[in-house]
Amino acid sequence: MQSSPNVVAGRSCGTCTLCCRLPDIDHSDKPANAWCRHCVAGEGCSIYADRPSVCRDFLCLWMTDEGPAEAWEPSRSYMMVYRQGPQVTVLVDPDHPGIWRREPYHSQLLDWAREAETTGGYVIVFRQDDVFKI
């Protein structure tokens, strides 16, 4: 991934491909928790140079916010986190469904929820077909 002004210095996608699996991407008819047909495991997007803008414009919270510790790197945490206005969205890798309830993650999610609540926001966790508002 090329460096962008929005990327925290020293961070990169590396071999993480959770954004190619976890979200529902209407543009590509890709359902949530299914691999994008262009994803090569451990390598990334096979059409990276020509990927659609929905993919080109996306960066997870770990890439754009200095706050999350290294433990939140998606390939380590098995979660992809991003902001949507006042909402913090957490998509949990279906191969690790309970990870969001473990430390250091659960305490941080509760802290984010308390912080978001002061401005009308919230944290929402998607784990397969389950949705949890924190």
Side-chain angles (χ1 to χ4, degrees):
M1 183 178 135
Q2 293 181 353
S3 186
S4 159
N6 298 329
V7 174
V8 173
R11 293 190 179 177
S12 71
C13 295
T15 58
C16 179
T17 54
L18 286 182
C19 64
C20 300
R21 180 182 187 193
L22 300 182
D24 175 20
I25 303 175
D26 291 336
H27 177 275
S28 302
D29 294 324
K30 190 202 87 55
N33 301 314
W35 288 104
C36 172
R37 67 182 176 273
H38 301 294
C39 183
V40 178
E43 292 182 30
C45 183
S46 65
I47 62 165
Y48 187 82
D50 299 315
R51 69 197 185 283
S53 62
V54 68
C55 298
R56 186 178 307 278
D57 296 341
F58 179 80
L59 290 171
C60 70
L61 188 71
W62 186 81
M63 291 286 291
T64 62
D65 188 327
E66 292 178 353
E70 295 296 312
W72 282 94
E73 180 181 0
S75 60
R76 292 181 190 182
S77 67
Y78 304 106
M79 290 178 279
M80 189 180 86
V81 182
Y82 59 97
R83 292 191 194 279
Q84 292 179 293
Q87 175 179 313
V88 175
T89 301
V90 180
L91 304 181
V92 179
D93 183 334
D95 294 337
H96 302 272
I99 194 78
W100 70 281
R101 291 192 183 269
R102 296 185 193 141
E103 294 303 332
Y105 308 114
H106 195 251
S107 292
Q108 182 68 64
L109 291 170
L110 292 172
D111 288 346
W112 285 343
R114 281 190 288 274
E115 181 182 321
E117 191 175 44
T118 64
T119 58
Y122 54 95
V123 173
I124 191 161
V125 176
F126 291 88
R127 184 193 69 194
Q128 295 173 320
D129 293 331
D130 298 321
V131 181
F132 304 90
K133 184 178 176 185
I134 299 177

